[in-house]
Amino acid sequence: MQTMYQQMETEELKAAIEQLEREVEETRAKGLKLDMARGKPSPEQVGISRPMLDILNSDSDLTDEGVDCSNYGCFEGIPSARRLAGEFIGVPPEQTIVLGSSSLNIMQSILIHYWEKGVPGYTPWSKLDHAKFLCPAPGYDRHFGITADLGIENIPVPMTETGPDMDVVERLVAEDDSIKGMFCVPKYSNPTGVTYSDETVRRLATMQAAPDFRIVWDNAYAVHDLTDEGDVLANIFDIAREAGNEDRILGVASTSKITFPGAGIAFFGSSPSNVAEVASTLKVGLISANKLNQLMHTRFLPDLDAVRAHMRKHAEFLRPRFAAVERKLTEGLEGTGCATWTHPNGGYFVSFDGPEGSAKRIAALCAELGVKLTPAGATWPYGKDPHDTNIRIAPTYPSVEELEAALDVLVLATKLVSAQLALEER
Ligand SMILES: Cc1ncc(COP(=O)(O)O)c(C=O)c1O
């Protein structure tokens, strides 16, 4: 599609650029200092979980269904927390482990486990000539960082409106058995907000793949709906089990964006043999996780219904912010041909695409004007967005007023860069 600037006569285009440059100078003079880079809740939003901190004190009963949470033991996690983990991940409680505060940390530990020891009966990934991982892109940069750090090659796979492009995934996995795994954020994907369709989930669970192929099923946004009509994700574990592939799926989630980021509880769930195998490695370096934190969490949020009620309070903070993104981008860019963006029903991000070759320049201009964005390219493995179009918008942290001001700058920068590109290509 052509931008409105590409359709202008050259004189008209030059005049438009001059006008936009004047607006840029006016914006610069305001000396803004705004941040739309951080995928984290605002302080007021985090505040709704503060009552949890009053649950435990020196008089509290510190046992959970007979387990003493104030001492070592119960490596897999306390019973109430494993039940919650099972509801989150979609497996029975016995197939879960509740660990520290970070799901990213669990993902890294598990991938290091396979890197060093391999899937039982197969070569450790580190001993292969080459190991590769599929990375739906745009995607979550910290996922790509774990594999890159191990020396696993990250292969981008295009994201579509129904999840990763499954024709590409199936072809690559079938023809190349050095592909050992794949990252998936199946609900409200970071950053597109896409929830995988039932068909995508089924194909991932049933496709032909190497026996030691693993899918990191990072359900970080499992309950993060903006409205009561949230997206519904199929249970991949049920489908994989029926197809004889239950060892393929490694489920993780956490309460980072439910209670306290960095101080929540994190869940792992998978097949019985995967859980036993991963536990055997993790137990070497951990006697037991912080069970008092687990206890505090499950007394505050005993089951998924309680979690959903809590998430409705979070959504009150998030809805006006996501609405502001939609409103500002529509007012500023609709019909210009200069951008497309996603319209998620939940999660933490909106994915924005400008014209080819624009994203780095838009982000740099925004930075000059005092608006910090997630670095352009970060949503692709190795920071290399092949068409340089994608910018991740993180609307959750700033106030609505700050967000609106930051979006005005993004709109202006997108228009100026689009116009400049149209002139440069003549
Ligand atoms: C998709 C995804 N997974 C994991 C995380 C980090 O989760 P945790 O705090 O549990 O490590 C994030 C944080 O933004 C995320 O977006």
PDB file of all heavy atoms in Angstrom, residues 156-181:
ATOM      1  N   PRO A 156      13.645 -16.670  12.719  1.00  0.00           N
ATOM      2  CA  PRO A 156      12.343 -16.005  12.799  1.00  0.00           C
ATOM      3  C   PRO A 156      11.269 -16.714  11.981  1.00  0.00           C
ATOM      4  O   PRO A 156      11.559 -17.265  10.924  1.00  0.00           O
ATOM      5  CB  PRO A 156      12.603 -14.603  12.231  1.00  0.00           C
ATOM      6  CG  PRO A 156      13.895 -14.661  11.526  1.00  0.00           C
ATOM      7  CD  PRO A 156      14.643 -15.869  11.997  1.00  0.00           C
ATOM      8  N   VAL A 157      10.061 -16.720  12.515  1.00  0.00           N
ATOM      9  CA  VAL A 157       8.890 -17.245  11.798  1.00  0.00           C
ATOM     10  C   VAL A 157       7.844 -16.134  11.827  1.00  0.00           C
ATOM     11  O   VAL A 157       7.607 -15.568  12.892  1.00  0.00           O
ATOM     12  CB  VAL A 157       8.320 -18.489  12.530  1.00  0.00           C
ATOM     13  CG1 VAL A 157       7.007 -18.908  11.914  1.00  0.00           C
ATOM     14  CG2 VAL A 157       9.306 -19.627  12.504  1.00  0.00           C
ATOM     15  N   PRO A 158       7.221 -15.819  10.684  1.00  0.00           N
ATOM     16  CA  PRO A 158       6.261 -14.700  10.696  1.00  0.00           C
ATOM     17  C   PRO A 158       5.056 -14.962  11.589  1.00  0.00           C
ATOM     18  O   PRO A 158       4.556 -16.089  11.637  1.00  0.00           O
ATOM     19  CB  PRO A 158       5.804 -14.578   9.236  1.00  0.00           C
ATOM     20  CG  PRO A 158       6.636 -15.510   8.443  1.00  0.00           C
ATOM     21  CD  PRO A 158       7.355 -16.436   9.362  1.00  0.00           C
ATOM     22  N   MET A 159       4.620 -13.938  12.310  1.00  0.00           N
ATOM     23  CA  MET A 159       3.370 -14.015  13.074  1.00  0.00           C
ATOM     24  C   MET A 159       2.228 -13.629  12.146  1.00  0.00           C
ATOM     25  O   MET A 159       2.370 -12.743  11.309  1.00  0.00           O
ATOM     26  CB  MET A 159       3.400 -13.030  14.246  1.00  0.00           C
ATOM     27  CG  MET A 159       3.989 -13.564  15.508  1.00  0.00           C
ATOM     28  SD  MET A 159       3.087 -14.957  16.209  1.00  0.00           S
ATOM     29  CE  MET A 159       1.757 -14.148  17.086  1.00  0.00           C
ATOM     30  N   THR A 160       1.088 -14.305  12.306  1.00  0.00           N
ATOM     31  CA  THR A 160      -0.118 -13.937  11.556  1.00  0.00           C
ATOM     32  C   THR A 160      -1.201 -13.608  12.582  1.00  0.00           C
ATOM     33  O   THR A 160      -0.941 -13.659  13.793  1.00  0.00           O
ATOM     34  CB  THR A 160      -0.615 -15.112  10.688  1.00  0.00           C
ATOM     35  OG1 THR A 160      -1.195 -16.101  11.555  1.00  0.00           O
ATOM     36  CG2 THR A 160       0.524 -15.754   9.897  1.00  0.00           C
ATOM     37  N   GLU A 161      -2.401 -13.354  12.117  1.00  0.00           N
ATOM     38  CA  GLU A 161      -3.480 -13.010  13.056  1.00  0.00           C
ATOM     39  C   GLU A 161      -3.981 -14.219  13.832  1.00  0.00           C
ATOM     40  O   GLU A 161      -4.789 -14.088  14.757  1.00  0.00           O
ATOM     41  CB  GLU A 161      -4.640 -12.361  12.295  1.00  0.00           C
ATOM     42  CG  GLU A 161      -4.297 -10.944  11.908  1.00  0.00           C
ATOM     43  CD  GLU A 161      -5.381 -10.262  11.091  1.00  0.00           C
ATOM     44  OE1 GLU A 161      -6.491 -10.795  10.996  1.00  0.00           O
ATOM     45  OE2 GLU A 161      -5.063  -9.201  10.554  1.00  0.00           O
ATOM     46  N   THR A 162      -3.514 -15.419  13.457  1.00  0.00           N
ATOM     47  CA  THR A 162      -3.947 -16.629  14.177  1.00  0.00           C
ATOM     48  C   THR A 162      -2.776 -17.311  14.887  1.00  0.00           C
ATOM     49  O   THR A 162      -2.900 -18.456  15.322  1.00  0.00           O
ATOM     50  CB  THR A 162      -4.594 -17.634  13.207  1.00  0.00           C
ATOM     51  OG1 THR A 162      -3.674 -17.872  12.136  1.00  0.00           O
ATOM     52  CG2 THR A 162      -5.892 -17.102  12.644  1.00  0.00           C
ATOM     53  N   GLY A 163      -1.649 -16.599  14.984  1.00  0.00           N
ATOM     54  CA  GLY A 163      -0.461 -17.189  15.615  1.00  0.00           C
ATOM     55  C   GLY A 163       0.660 -17.303  14.595  1.00  0.00           C
ATOM     56  O   GLY A 163       0.582 -16.727  13.505  1.00  0.00           O
ATOM     57  N   PRO A 164       1.709 -18.066  14.935  1.00  0.00           N
ATOM     58  CA  PRO A 164       2.815 -18.200  13.974  1.00  0.00           C
ATOM     59  C   PRO A 164       2.330 -18.822  12.667  1.00  0.00           C
ATOM     60  O   PRO A 164       1.378 -19.609  12.692  1.00  0.00           O
ATOM     61  CB  PRO A 164       3.791 -19.134  14.680  1.00  0.00           C
ATOM     62  CG  PRO A 164       3.128 -19.629  15.900  1.00  0.00           C
ATOM     63  CD  PRO A 164       1.898 -18.842  16.160  1.00  0.00           C
ATOM     64  N   ASP A 165       2.960 -18.468  11.569  1.00  0.00           N
ATOM     65  CA  ASP A 165       2.565 -19.018  10.266  1.00  0.00           C
ATOM     66  C   ASP A 165       2.858 -20.519  10.270  1.00  0.00           C
ATOM     67  O   ASP A 165       4.008 -20.958  10.164  1.00  0.00           O
ATOM     68  CB  ASP A 165       3.356 -18.302   9.160  1.00  0.00           C
ATOM     69  CG  ASP A 165       2.896 -18.745   7.778  1.00  0.00           C
ATOM     70  OD1 ASP A 165       2.483 -19.917   7.631  1.00  0.00           O
ATOM     71  OD2 ASP A 165       2.962 -17.915   6.854  1.00  0.00           O
ATOM     72  N   MET A 166       1.796 -21.314  10.403  1.00  0.00           N
ATOM     73  CA  MET A 166       1.982 -22.748  10.627  1.00  0.00           C
ATOM     74  C   MET A 166       2.478 -23.482   9.383  1.00  0.00           C
ATOM     75  O   MET A 166       3.097 -24.547   9.505  1.00  0.00           O
ATOM     76  CB  MET A 166       0.701 -23.389  11.165  1.00  0.00           C
ATOM     77  CG  MET A 166       0.440 -23.087  12.623  1.00  0.00           C
ATOM     78  SD  MET A 166       1.846 -23.446  13.707  1.00  0.00           S
ATOM     79  CE  MET A 166       2.063 -25.189  13.464  1.00  0.00           C
ATOM     80  N   ASP A 167       2.225 -22.935   8.206  1.00  0.00           N
ATOM     81  CA  ASP A 167       2.786 -23.585   7.004  1.00  0.00           C
ATOM     82  C   ASP A 167       4.312 -23.521   7.085  1.00  0.00           C
ATOM     83  O   ASP A 167       5.003 -24.500   6.802  1.00  0.00           O
ATOM     84  CB  ASP A 167       2.287 -22.891   5.731  1.00  0.00           C
ATOM     85  CG  ASP A 167       0.805 -23.141   5.492  1.00  0.00           C
ATOM     86  OD1 ASP A 167       0.278 -24.115   6.084  1.00  0.00           O
ATOM     87  OD2 ASP A 167       0.181 -22.357   4.757  1.00  0.00           O
ATOM     88  N   VAL A 168       4.829 -22.372   7.484  1.00  0.00           N
ATOM     89  CA  VAL A 168       6.288 -22.202   7.602  1.00  0.00           C
ATOM     90  C   VAL A 168       6.825 -23.094   8.732  1.00  0.00           C
ATOM     91  O   VAL A 168       7.820 -23.805   8.562  1.00  0.00           O
ATOM     92  CB  VAL A 168       6.652 -20.711   7.853  1.00  0.00           C
ATOM     93  CG1 VAL A 168       8.136 -20.552   8.108  1.00  0.00           C
ATOM     94  CG2 VAL A 168       6.189 -19.842   6.693  1.00  0.00           C
ATOM     95  N   VAL A 169       6.137 -23.064   9.883  1.00  0.00           N
ATOM     96  CA  VAL A 169       6.605 -23.858  11.033  1.00  0.00           C
ATOM     97  C   VAL A 169       6.671 -25.336  10.658  1.00  0.00           C
ATOM     98  O   VAL A 169       7.696 -26.007  10.859  1.00  0.00           O
ATOM     99  CB  VAL A 169       5.676 -23.650  12.261  1.00  0.00           C
ATOM    100  CG1 VAL A 169       6.024 -24.633  13.377  1.00  0.00           C
ATOM    101  CG2 VAL A 169       5.768 -22.217  12.763  1.00  0.00           C
ATOM    102  N   GLU A 170       5.594 -25.862  10.084  1.00  0.00           N
ATOM    103  CA  GLU A 170       5.550 -27.296   9.765  1.00  0.00           C
ATOM    104  C   GLU A 170       6.631 -27.671   8.751  1.00  0.00           C
ATOM    105  O   GLU A 170       7.269 -28.713   8.872  1.00  0.00           O
ATOM    106  CB  GLU A 170       4.169 -27.672   9.215  1.00  0.00           C
ATOM    107  CG  GLU A 170       3.118 -27.749  10.313  1.00  0.00           C
ATOM    108  CD  GLU A 170       1.707 -27.890   9.759  1.00  0.00           C
ATOM    109  OE1 GLU A 170       1.505 -27.658   8.542  1.00  0.00           O
ATOM    110  OE2 GLU A 170       0.809 -28.204  10.539  1.00  0.00           O
ATOM    111  N   ARG A 171       6.813 -26.793   7.754  1.00  0.00           N
ATOM    112  CA  ARG A 171       7.818 -27.098   6.724  1.00  0.00           C
ATOM    113  C   ARG A 171       9.223 -27.123   7.352  1.00  0.00           C
ATOM    114  O   ARG A 171       9.978 -28.084   7.180  1.00  0.00           O
ATOM    115  CB  ARG A 171       7.745 -26.056   5.591  1.00  0.00           C
ATOM    116  CG  ARG A 171       8.730 -26.297   4.459  1.00  0.00           C
ATOM    117  CD  ARG A 171       8.536 -25.348   3.301  1.00  0.00           C
ATOM    118  NE  ARG A 171       8.458 -23.934   3.667  1.00  0.00           N
ATOM    119  CZ  ARG A 171       9.495 -23.195   4.019  1.00  0.00           C
ATOM    120  NH1 ARG A 171      10.714 -23.707   4.068  1.00  0.00           N
ATOM    121  NH2 ARG A 171       9.330 -21.910   4.332  1.00  0.00           N
ATOM    122  N   LEU A 172       9.543 -26.091   8.125  1.00  0.00           N
ATOM    123  CA  LEU A 172      10.897 -26.005   8.699  1.00  0.00           C
ATOM    124  C   LEU A 172      11.168 -27.175   9.646  1.00  0.00           C
ATOM    125  O   LEU A 172      12.234 -27.814   9.585  1.00  0.00           O
ATOM    126  CB  LEU A 172      11.075 -24.683   9.457  1.00  0.00           C
ATOM    127  CG  LEU A 172      11.135 -23.414   8.603  1.00  0.00           C
ATOM    128  CD1 LEU A 172      11.174 -22.180   9.496  1.00  0.00           C
ATOM    129  CD2 LEU A 172      12.362 -23.433   7.696  1.00  0.00           C
ATOM    130  N   VAL A 173      10.201 -27.470  10.502  1.00  0.00           N
ATOM    131  CA  VAL A 173      10.400 -28.504  11.519  1.00  0.00           C
ATOM    132  C   VAL A 173      10.511 -29.890  10.875  1.00  0.00           C
ATOM    133  O   VAL A 173      11.285 -30.740  11.318  1.00  0.00           O
ATOM    134  CB  VAL A 173       9.262 -28.435  12.576  1.00  0.00           C
ATOM    135  CG1 VAL A 173       9.253 -29.655  13.462  1.00  0.00           C
ATOM    136  CG2 VAL A 173       9.416 -27.175  13.415  1.00  0.00           C
ATOM    137  N   ALA A 174       9.730 -30.098   9.798  1.00  0.00           N
ATOM    138  CA  ALA A 174       9.764 -31.416   9.141  1.00  0.00           C
ATOM    139  C   ALA A 174      11.069 -31.624   8.380  1.00  0.00           C
ATOM    140  O   ALA A 174      11.598 -32.741   8.324  1.00  0.00           O
ATOM    141  CB  ALA A 174       8.574 -31.553   8.192  1.00  0.00           C
ATOM    142  N   GLU A 175      11.615 -30.544   7.806  1.00  0.00           N
ATOM    143  CA  GLU A 175      12.787 -30.754   6.938  1.00  0.00           C
ATOM    144  C   GLU A 175      14.121 -30.550   7.659  1.00  0.00           C
ATOM    145  O   GLU A 175      15.160 -30.887   7.117  1.00  0.00           O
ATOM    146  CB  GLU A 175      12.688 -29.887   5.666  1.00  0.00           C
ATOM    147  CG  GLU A 175      12.868 -28.398   5.877  1.00  0.00           C
ATOM    148  CD  GLU A 175      12.471 -27.596   4.637  1.00  0.00           C
ATOM    149  OE1 GLU A 175      11.723 -28.124   3.774  1.00  0.00           O
ATOM    150  OE2 GLU A 175      12.912 -26.445   4.515  1.00  0.00           O
ATOM    151  N   ASP A 176      14.102 -30.039   8.906  1.00  0.00           N
ATOM    152  CA  ASP A 176      15.370 -29.726   9.570  1.00  0.00           C
ATOM    153  C   ASP A 176      15.320 -30.203  11.031  1.00  0.00           C
ATOM    154  O   ASP A 176      14.744 -29.544  11.888  1.00  0.00           O
ATOM    155  CB  ASP A 176      15.599 -28.211   9.497  1.00  0.00           C
ATOM    156  CG  ASP A 176      16.935 -27.810  10.086  1.00  0.00           C
ATOM    157  OD1 ASP A 176      17.615 -28.677  10.672  1.00  0.00           O
ATOM    158  OD2 ASP A 176      17.301 -26.622   9.962  1.00  0.00           O
ATOM    159  N   ASP A 177      15.950 -31.371  11.312  1.00  0.00           N
ATOM    160  CA  ASP A 177      15.819 -31.860  12.693  1.00  0.00           C
ATOM    161  C   ASP A 177      16.860 -31.261  13.635  1.00  0.00           C
ATOM    162  O   ASP A 177      16.958 -31.647  14.793  1.00  0.00           O
ATOM    163  CB  ASP A 177      15.767 -33.393  12.758  1.00  0.00           C
ATOM    164  CG  ASP A 177      17.091 -34.030  12.414  1.00  0.00           C
ATOM    165  OD1 ASP A 177      18.052 -33.282  12.132  1.00  0.00           O
ATOM    166  OD2 ASP A 177      17.161 -35.279  12.418  1.00  0.00           O
ATOM    167  N   SER A 178      17.600 -30.234  13.145  1.00  0.00           N
ATOM    168  CA  SER A 178      18.417 -29.477  14.094  1.00  0.00           C
ATOM    169  C   SER A 178      17.568 -28.395  14.778  1.00  0.00           C
ATOM    170  O   SER A 178      18.037 -27.711  15.693  1.00  0.00           O
ATOM    171  CB  SER A 178      19.639 -28.850  13.413  1.00  0.00           C
ATOM    172  OG  SER A 178      19.249 -27.858  12.507  1.00  0.00           O
ATOM    173  N   ILE A 179      16.315 -28.245  14.324  1.00  0.00           N
ATOM    174  CA  ILE A 179      15.404 -27.320  15.017  1.00  0.00           C
ATOM    175  C   ILE A 179      14.885 -28.053  16.250  1.00  0.00           C
ATOM    176  O   ILE A 179      14.163 -29.036  16.153  1.00  0.00           O
ATOM    177  CB  ILE A 179      14.245 -26.871  14.103  1.00  0.00           C
ATOM    178  CG1 ILE A 179      14.808 -26.079  12.921  1.00  0.00           C
ATOM    179  CG2 ILE A 179      13.229 -26.040  14.885  1.00  0.00           C
ATOM    180  CD1 ILE A 179      13.785 -25.673  11.891  1.00  0.00           C
ATOM    181  N   LYS A 180      15.290 -27.578  17.419  1.00  0.00           N
ATOM    182  CA  LYS A 180      15.006 -28.302  18.659  1.00  0.00           C
ATOM    183  C   LYS A 180      13.859 -27.705  19.452  1.00  0.00           C
ATOM    184  O   LYS A 180      13.453 -28.283  20.471  1.00  0.00           O
ATOM    185  CB  LYS A 180      16.268 -28.344  19.538  1.00  0.00           C
ATOM    186  CG  LYS A 180      17.344 -29.228  18.952  1.00  0.00           C
ATOM    187  CD  LYS A 180      16.815 -30.651  18.796  1.00  0.00           C
ATOM    188  CE  LYS A 180      17.734 -31.520  17.969  1.00  0.00           C
ATOM    189  NZ  LYS A 180      16.994 -32.642  17.345  1.00  0.00           N
ATOM    190  N   GLY A 181      13.377 -26.563  19.023  1.00  0.00           N
ATOM    191  CA  GLY A 181      12.279 -26.011  19.802  1.00  0.00           C
ATOM    192  C   GLY A 181      11.753 -24.728  19.235  1.00  0.00           C
ATOM    193  O   GLY A 181      12.196 -24.256  18.174  1.00  0.00           O
TER     194      GLY A 181
END
